[in-house]
Amino acid sequence: MDERLIVIVGYDTAELLDIACVTTSLAMANQIGNLAHPYRVSVASPGGNPITCGSGLTLQSQQPLERLTGPLDTLIVSGGLGHEQAAADPRLVGHVRRLAKESRRVASVCTGAGILAATGLLDGRRATTHWRYASQLAAQHPQITVDSSPIYIRDGDVYTAAGITSALDLTLASSKMITAPSWPAKWRGTWSPTCSDRETRHR
């Protein structure tokens, strides 16, 4: 059974919820979705070091970002209090850019959009981020059309999600969990994105 590899990039003071919303949603999909191609989720960090999240909790990375190779189904960059330092780290940004070329699609959660912006992957695209950081992202990267209104935006094969828990909406929708025929109707209703009408597609 072929698996779809999903890699979440974490770093010092990443937001735990940015990571957990994705991992828990996909774990639920595997458990009750009867998927032909289940998800295999992995968390990567610079050097494979433990991730001290913004809350102070420590999350164990599963592999070093530097040693990770594709092909990947999806590369997801988390947000968090350390997003500015991460975006200023040329090694981290370089590996995200490298892995994006080996991924079917790329996504960011919350302020993780700033890291994607640093790679150049958002140039010429529409993107969203946490509303509090939207003006900062737009000022630093005028080549990006920043829109803080949607819960998430899909522009081609690049997805950006707004605030922290919007990662749940993005994951559910992008994995098509809410419409999968193999999902019981009661689960499709329970896990429907809360604001699916606020998704924006482009291209």
Side-chain angles (χ1 to χ4, degrees):
M1 183 179 296
D2 293 334
E3 296 179 311
R4 289 173 282 186
L5 178 58
I6 313 293
V7 172
I8 305 169
V9 178
Y11 45 84
D12 192 37
T13 61
E15 172 54 53
L16 179 60
L17 273 176
D18 284 9
I19 298 171
C21 280
V22 176
T23 58
T24 301
S25 300
L26 296 178
M28 288 293 294
N30 285 339
Q31 291 167 18
I32 63 177
N34 191 28
L35 303 177
H37 303 287
Y39 298 102
R40 178 163 63 91
V41 183
S42 181
V43 176
S45 66
N49 294 321
I51 300 164
T52 301
C53 299
S55 62
L57 297 177
T58 300
L59 180 66
Q60 181 61 55
S61 173
Q62 293 167 289
Q63 57 187 316
L65 184 63
E66 298 84 349
R67 296 182 183 179
L68 183 63
T69 58
L72 310 180
D73 181 85
T74 310
L75 178 69
I76 302 173
V77 180
S78 61
L81 295 175
H83 70 97
E84 290 179 308
Q85 291 84 350
D89 182 342
R91 290 177 297 178
L92 187 151
V93 170
H95 285 296
V96 170
R97 184 186 297 114
R98 171 181 62 83
L99 290 168
K101 297 176 182 178
E102 302 176 37
S103 303
R104 183 172 69 89
R105 55 189 178 180
V106 180
S108 66
V109 178
C110 195
T111 52
I115 300 169
L116 282 190
T119 69
L121 291 168
L122 297 182
D123 289 0
R125 298 182 185 271
R126 293 184 67 248
T128 192
T129 187
H130 191 289
W131 62 267
R132 186 173 292 172
Y133 295 92
S135 60
Q136 176 182 322
L137 182 65
Q140 293 176 343
H141 301 276
Q143 64 274 36
I144 303 170
T145 302
V146 179
D147 185 353
S148 62
S149 297
I151 293 294
Y152 63 91
I153 291 176
R154 174 185 177 183
D155 189 335
D157 57 0
V158 178
Y159 298 70
T160 51
I164 297 170
T165 55
S166 63
L168 179 60
D169 297 81
L170 174 62
T171 306
L172 292 172
S174 62
S175 62
K176 299 183 179 179
M177 288 165 57
I178 58 167
T179 58
S182 59
W183 272 56
K186 65 177 181 179
W187 286 107
R188 292 201 299 271
T190 300
W191 285 85
S192 293
T194 55
C195 300
S196 59
D197 59 322
R198 292 180 61 191
E199 178 237 4
T200 299
R201 293 173 180 260
H202 190 58
R203 294 182 183 172

